[in-house]
Structures are given as structure tokens and as C-alpha cells.
Amino acid sequence: MTQTFAADRARLLELIKELAVVRGKVILSSGKEADYYIDLRRITLHHEASRLAGRVMLAMLEDAGIEFESAGGLTMGADPVGTALMHAATDAGRNIDAFVVRKLQKSYGMGRQVEGPDVNGRDVVVLEDTSTTGGSALTAVEAVRKAGGVIKAVAVIVDRDTGAKERIEAETGVPYLFAFGKDELGLD
């Protein structure tokens, strides 16, 4: 781990704790109830934190040896993560595109479900901001595979430690990586 990565990761963790962790009873997209909510859009759309998220995710994937040409996931949580990673890659002299997966395939125009530069035949990483059950990432994996993309990994900023990793790895056969675990956020 380089000194720059360690500093980026430490600052991003600080910002997540400060801006994204909301305490109180909430219903998650999975339908489960929680005593807290991790609103990572407060990070991925934040002027400083977005850049850090892109750099941390890129470094995490590089350290894991994941080779890929494009990254994205199910709209809305993954959109700013993919864009941040794309910009971090560009700053590092790498050409990585981003893509967006619609919840449903369009019934008009080109009828695409995966938008952006074509993923057909390309190595891709499916992204998400956080995952509880893995449902959003699995929907994205299915759509990207249908569009011809070759999934190399699923990567999230925060893993809630609620079974998403195990489910995604079992159902997709690809590694599931996360930058931060719930325990690092003081949520245990």
C-alpha cells in the first residue's frame, strides 16, 4: 500500500464517518430494517470525497490484480462511483470507461440496458456504493453479461457485512472486493 493510497483511504474513511453515516431506524432497498443508513451519495457526489473514492477504488482493484477496461453498475448508486473511478484512471494515465446499467431495458431508441461505451467483449468491473443483499450488483452483472461484457470483479465502497459478498461470489463466480467494512465505520 503506497503512502498516497493510505492517506487517500484514511481521509475518505474520515469523510464517510462524518458525512455518510446516518443513525436511526431506516428501511433499506433490500426491505431490511437497520439502525443506521450509509448514504454514500453524500460521498460520491461530494467535491473532495468523490475524487478520493475514485482513487481508492482504482488502487484497491489494481492491488487485487484485477485487469479491466470499463466499470459501472446499476443506476443510481453506481453511477458516480463509475465516473469517479474513470476520472481517477485518466489522472493515472489509464483508459478506463464507465457505463450505466438501467433497471430495465429501454423499449425505445436502441433498446439498451447498458449505456455508455459498448461493453461487448470487454473486461469490466461492476461497481456499487454499498451492498446489503447484493441484489443491485447481481442485476448489473446479469445485464452486463447479456450485453457481452466479461465480469472480472464486483467492487463496492462499503460492505455492510450482511451476506452480499458471499451471495455475489457464489452466484457470479467472480471476486467481491470492498474498500471499507462496516467495522471500520464504528457500526458494530
Side-chain angles (χ1 to χ4, degrees), residues 110-125:
M110 294 179 60
R112 295 175 67 181
Q113 187 173 7
V114 180
E115 299 287 358
D118 197 0
V119 297
N120 187 32
R122 298 179 81 197
D123 292 341
V124 305
V125 170

Side-chain angles (χ1 to χ4, degrees), residues 55 58 66 68 86 93 95 121 164 173:
R55 293 196 304 248
L58 181 64
I66 306 295
F68 63 104
M86 176 182 66
N95 297 324

Side-chain angles (χ1 to χ4, degrees), residues 6-18:
D8 285 351
R9 191 178 187 286
R11 177 63 179 147
L12 182 57
L13 179 59
E14 185 179 300
L15 288 168
I16 290 170
K17 287 178 177 179
E18 178 185 329

Side-chain angles (χ1 to χ4, degrees), residues 9 13 17 157 178-188:
R9 191 178 187 286
L13 179 59
K17 287 178 177 179
I157 298 173
F178 56 93
F180 302 98
K182 176 179 89 165
D183 58 323
E184 294 177 89
L185 304 180
L187 297 171
D188 275 344

Side-chain angles (χ1 to χ4, degrees), residues 166-186:
E166 295 77 11
R167 180 179 180 203
I168 289 169
E169 287 183 344
E171 292 187 27
T172 66
V174 299
Y176 172 96
L177 306 168
F178 56 93
F180 302 98
K182 176 179 89 165
D183 58 323
E184 294 177 89
L185 304 180

